[in-house]
Amino acid sequence: MPIERIYFWGISAVWLFYGLAGISVAVFFAGAYFHVSVWMAARRGGESGGPAGLEGVGAAGGTRAGAARGAWPTAGRRALAGLGRVVLDGLLGRRILKGDVIAGLMHGLIMWGFAGLFIGTVLSTIDHWFVHFLAGRTYQVFSLCLDIFGVMLIAGLLVALFRRYVEKVPRLENRAEDLWILIWLAAAVVTGFAVEGTRLAVELPGWESYSFGGVVFSRLFSSERWAETVYPYVWWFHALICLGLIAYFPFSKLFHSLAAPVNIYLAPRPVPARLGEDGAAAEASPGGGAPATGTAGGPRFSFRDLVEFSACTRCGRCDTVCPSASADEPFSPRTFIVQARAYTKAAHNPLSRVRWFREKLFRSLSTVPEISPAQIWFCTTCRACLEVCPVYVGAFEPIRQVRKAEIEEGSRVSPLLTDALERLYMFDNPWEPSKKKRKEWPGSLTVPDLTEGATAELCYWVGCTTSYDTRAQKPARAFVRILNEAGVGFGTLGQKEVCCGDIARRVGEQGLFEDQVEKTMGLFAKYGITDLVTSSPHCFNLIKNEYPSRAPVGPVPAGRVLTGAAPPAVAPVPAAPPAGAEPRPLFRVRHYAQLLEELLDKGALRPHVPVTATVTFHDPCYLGRYNQVYEAPRRVIRSIPGVSLVEMPHHGPDSLCCGGGGGRMWQELEGEKKLSEVRIREAAATGADIVVTACPYCLIMLEDAVKTADLDLSLRVMDLNELLAHSLGLAEDEG
Ligand code: SF4
Ligand code: SF4
């Protein structure tokens, strides 16, 4: 007997198989087209959802060709980074292994088993129809590999079944589809072994040990004749299971295996080069009418949002780290993603673009799935979900799009938040109905004002909370003393400083955000600001990552010595760059913790007063997870004599949010536990005397939580500036 693959052994109606296979593959591609069509709804709706705003600021003075020349190296690097992520996270399971090794191994067995069998099927088709190469030793190895992949898949599926239905891993939600898919995949493999075994029961080729899976099944048959009789039935059963699986694939959660690599490749959200680049999707809806989310316009999701929805596997890791979900608030990022996916599938169904379907079918559909509007305000935008999601889904970005729609509608926005936004609109801050009070925070300290003719190297961007909140003002004064001690020339924008727009951005008030950006950039241009240091990680992140701060062309204006003496009327137009130049930032922005670290490294600051205390550091989300600044504040703490730094169980990228971000400072949300209390209890459990942070929101939230959580009031909450100032002999009462 020749050593080669035998095709359609004992099967007569081969044409029927190919007919069914054609239908199955056609359904697969139709399903895949459905997903891609939903994704492309964003493209059809145009990428630019907002007003032009400062359009062109980032591209000032440049030619399209110049920008294109500069873009290629960046695009190449991004592509390589994207491919690297696909290999490490998609193929090797780096993220899925993190924190749950068993889940990672299980997923690897299923994924590689499935992929191996799929590739084997493709190679068999090539061997049968085009190039016959599966013969002799090659075929024996091929046959062995297929059986190994089959066993891997079965092993992975058994682990998955155990975890879901015996161990009952809490984060896994069990829908009928989850069980159905596991059984379907297992059936495909088992019947494949059965086909092989039935044939081996009829004729043993002498090298059957290479098909060890089939050999097990061949032993079930007592006679060759019986095996020969049942073979066509087993074969057709296996064929129908596999063809059905192919057709069902894009309509099930299995589609994540195609969408996830796309999302992983795209992972980092692009920083908008211009305002209005939010990638808003078309507002298509079943029946062609207004989208049925209960809002006037409905959320306009971006291309990335729509790919993310398809990539989600409902694994629930996001729920386990989400501070809101963990505090038993009525919110879950997974539920949001699932609801948003159902909504967009209905709202952007490609069939709704065909008149007949629109008129006959969609009119009879009663509702489009709702995205529960109550949920969306709970998100603190802390980014913890993105940190743990194996396929890089972050719920907070699409949530912002739903918030935008709610803000446009206006009726379901909390009165406290509406008031804060009104104050922001009227007085350029969300706290007080006064512009004048902004300059009162220094108290008796003298702070150079760049808008009144002072000259300085550095602009201290104080921020609204630090300017208006009496508790947050103290670290600002400590920072001023520290800068003076280090001999750093700096100035502020005094009363002319405005809100950078962070709160407006987070709660989806895009128009107001763009107004604030325009005002801020106008100040930067007018006073020649190119080097900033901020109090708040929120201002730092927004200005660094979400302002249209990248000039596609041109160098940073020379030097960083600025003056308020002769402000230019308009922003300087950068000169054209050399060919191939990278986009350059128009200005540099740092968080104060980074500047303190630099000053300590240079020896400009020498902490000498011992602070004999155990200290733990609370990582602000917008400093840590958003900008990976973890080490700078810790180095500052370690530089202080006498301090013993201990870490909370959740620290660094795993840090817990204080609950103040995402506009929650201005809302009263119903929940079982306060997020800040959860955090402060964790800090107290370390035995620390002092909880240090580097964000005005965190400072206020955690200090309040010490009182409301009935903790020992000797636990102090301090800002990093305050702790360092103390060790420099510059504390408020010593200054
Ligand atoms: S968003 Fe990510 S972490 Fe959350 S359920 Fe989906 S795949 Fe899992
Ligand atoms: S950003 Fe934070 S609060 Fe929002 S869904 Fe993700 S984990 Fe939850």
Side-chain angles (χ1 to χ4, degrees), residues 318 321-325 331-333 378-386 394-396 399 626 657:
C318 50
V321 296
C322 175
S324 175
F331 168 66
S332 140
F378 284 93
C379 173
T380 67
T381 68
C382 71
R383 210 179 166 107
C385 47
L386 177 61
F396 51 95
I399 280 175
Y626 274 80
C657 177

Side-chain angles (χ1 to χ4, degrees), residues 32 35-36 39-40 43 78-79 81-83 85-87 89-91 255-269 303-312 390-393:
H35 283 277
V36 175
W39 298 352
M40 297 313 286
R43 300 281 187 219
R78 280 203 195 120
L83 289 174
R85 276 192 304 277
V86 171
V87 171
D89 296 315
L91 299 181
F255 188 74
H256 84 268
S257 50
L258 297 181
V262 179
N263 202 52
I264 291 171
Y265 176 81
L266 295 170
R269 296 260 179 177
F303 176 78
R304 273 304 307 283
D305 297 334
L306 297 169
V307 176
E308 279 190 357
F309 299 158
S310 297
C312 172
V391 295
Y392 290 91
V393 176

Side-chain angles (χ1 to χ4, degrees), residues 394-718:
F396 51 95
E397 273 297 328
I399 280 175
R400 196 167 54 78
Q401 300 299 346
V402 187
R403 287 179 175 182
K404 259 167 142 178
E406 290 293 311
I407 287 275
E408 279 164 27
E409 168 74 2
S411 58
R412 278 184 294 222
V413 181
S414 99
L416 281 178
L417 181 58
T418 307
D419 289 350
L421 292 172
E422 270 173 21
R423 281 192 295 274
L424 177 52
Y425 177 70
M426 304 271 298
F427 303 101
D428 286 319
N429 84 86
W431 292 106
E432 297 255 0
S434 163
K435 289 189 181 183
K436 229 173 163 185
K437 281 181 91 174
R438 183 180 282 277
K439 64 174 185 184
E440 292 175 5
W441 65 268
S444 58
L445 289 174
T446 304
V447 177
D449 189 333
L450 297 172
T451 69
E452 290 179 357
T455 57
E457 337 179 297
L458 180 69
C459 176
Y460 173 30
W461 185 262
V462 186
C464 299
T465 307
T466 306
S467 298
Y468 287 90
D469 184 274
T470 50
R471 175 64 187 95
Q473 288 169 354
K474 290 182 185 173
R477 290 193 287 269
F479 186 51
V480 167
R481 280 190 277 270
I482 293 170
L483 291 180
N484 287 338
E485 170 81 5
V488 176
F490 74 98
T492 69
L493 292 173
Q495 191 181 316
K496 291 213 168 63
E497 191 186 279
V498 295
C499 175
C500 62
D502 179 69
I503 168 188
R505 176 75 167 165
R506 299 304 149 219
V507 302
E509 201 357 322
Q510 184 69 11
L512 191 49
F513 162 66
E514 292 183 6
D515 286 350
Q516 295 309 123
V517 175
E518 195 159 1
K519 287 179 189 172
T520 307
M521 298 280 284
L523 287 171
F524 291 172
K526 186 170 179 184
Y527 297 105
I529 308 295
T530 58
D531 197 3
L532 294 120
V533 62
T534 72
S535 304
S536 171
H538 294 260
C539 308
F540 164 63
N541 174 70
L542 192 81
I543 295 171
K544 177 169 178 267
N545 296 323
E546 299 185 54
Y547 265 40
S549 59
R550 303 269 145 187
V553 295
V556 177
R560 45 180 224 139
V561 178
L562 311 171
T563 173
V570 292
V573 176
E582 291 287 309
R584 300 286 297 274
L586 281 168
F587 41 78
R588 175 167 74 151
V589 58
R590 283 169 291 175
H591 179 260
Y592 78 80
Q594 295 171 302
L595 182 58
L596 294 183
E597 184 192 28
E598 278 176 39
L599 294 173
L600 285 163
D601 285 350
K602 279 188 204 157
L605 296 172
R606 295 183 190 280
H608 56 277
V609 179
V611 179
T612 312
T614 303
V615 169
T616 190
F617 182 69
H618 164 76
D619 290 275
C621 303
Y622 279 76
L623 189 62
R625 272 191 292 270
Y626 274 80
N627 290 288
Q628 288 78 52
V629 179
Y630 298 115
E631 198 44 32
R634 287 176 170 78
R635 287 190 65 195
V636 175
I637 293 171
R638 281 192 218 104
S639 73
I640 296 170
V643 160
S644 162
L645 178 64
V646 293
E647 295 290 2
M648 286 182 258
H650 294 95
H651 66 276
D654 301 326
S655 181
L656 278 184
C657 177
C658 73
R664 285 185 57 137
M665 278 296 244
W666 293 272
Q667 296 181 75
E668 279 172 355
L669 296 166
E670 294 294 323
E672 296 290 316
K673 301 174 203 157
K674 278 179 80 177
L675 309 191
S676 52
E677 289 178 10
V678 173
R679 185 53 165 167
I680 203 71
R681 283 184 206 286
E682 185 172 316
T686 63
D689 308 301
I690 305 172
V691 183
V692 174
T693 190
C695 167
Y697 289 175
C698 301
L699 183 70
I700 296 167
M701 297 294 288
L702 295 177
E703 201 163 82
D704 278 355
V706 173
K707 295 166 202 150
T708 57
D710 290 331
L711 290 172
D712 180 354
L713 292 181
S714 65
L715 178 65
R716 289 188 68 190
V717 180
M718 293 179 83

Side-chain angles (χ1 to χ4, degrees), residues 84-363:
R85 276 192 304 277
V86 171
V87 171
L88 289 171
D89 296 315
L91 299 181
L92 301 179
R94 176 177 58 175
R95 278 194 153 217
I96 201 166
L97 280 162
K98 197 176 148 199
D100 194 342
V101 176
I102 301 295
L105 294 175
M106 174 207 76
H107 185 266
L109 287 169
I110 295 176
M111 183 182 73
W112 284 107
F114 186 89
L117 292 175
F118 174 76
I119 293 167
T121 307
V122 171
L123 292 177
S124 297
T125 307
I126 293 170
D127 175 68
H128 183 47
W129 285 103
F130 304 106
V131 187
H132 179 52
F133 65 98
L134 292 176
R137 193 81 181 150
T138 306
Y139 177 61
Q140 287 174 333
V141 173
F142 175 80
S143 190
L144 179 67
C145 287
L146 283 194
D147 279 29
I148 290 172
F149 285 128
V151 170
M152 284 170 61
L153 183 48
I154 289 284
L157 294 171
L158 287 175
V159 177
L161 282 164
F162 180 84
R163 283 167 59 85
R164 278 185 181 277
Y165 304 105
V166 181
E167 190 185 356
K168 293 191 172 51
V169 174
R171 71 175 162 82
L172 299 174
E173 59 163 21
N174 292 318
R175 297 184 176 201
E177 182 200 32
D178 300 310
L179 180 61
W180 183 232
I181 285 175
L182 293 177
I183 291 174
W184 202 333
L185 284 168
V189 184
V190 171
T191 55
F193 282 135
V195 168
E196 195 176 44
T198 315
R199 197 176 62 232
L200 291 176
V202 177
E203 49 182 39
L204 283 177
W207 44 267
E208 60 276 3
S209 55
Y210 289 94
S211 305
F212 63 90
V215 169
V216 175
F217 272 86
S218 70
R219 304 220 167 101
L220 296 176
F221 295 95
S222 53
S223 75
E224 282 182 24
R225 193 162 169 183
W226 185 47
E228 207 163 1
T229 307
V230 299
Y231 181 82
Y233 299 102
V234 178
W235 191 93
W236 274 109
F237 188 49
H238 173 65
L240 289 176
I241 284 177
C242 293
L243 294 180
L245 191 59
I246 292 169
Y248 179 55
F249 190 99
F251 302 99
S252 70
K253 66 185 270 188
L254 289 173
F255 188 74
H256 84 268
S257 50
L258 297 181
V262 179
N263 202 52
I264 291 171
Y265 176 81
L266 295 170
R269 296 260 179 177
V271 176
R274 300 174 303 174
L275 286 181
E277 288 195 347
D278 258 5
E283 293 176 30
S285 67
T293 50
T295 63
R300 302 194 302 162
F301 295 113
S302 69
F303 176 78
R304 273 304 307 283
D305 297 334
L306 297 169
V307 176
E308 279 190 357
F309 299 158
S310 297
C312 172
T313 59
R314 290 192 288 103
C315 71
R317 289 182 187 225
C318 50
D319 280 4
T320 62
V321 296
C322 175
S324 175
S326 308
D328 298 329
E329 290 182 340
F331 168 66
S332 140
R334 169 173 57 191
T335 306
F336 168 77
I337 295 286
V338 170
Q339 285 183 351
R341 175 163 61 197
Y343 164 76
T344 48
K345 275 183 174 176
H348 303 306
N349 189 323
L351 291 180
S352 70
R353 293 200 296 278
V354 180
R355 195 170 164 188
W356 185 88
F357 283 107
R358 205 164 53 234
E359 290 179 355
K360 303 286 181 207
L361 181 63
F362 288 105
R363 282 201 192 288

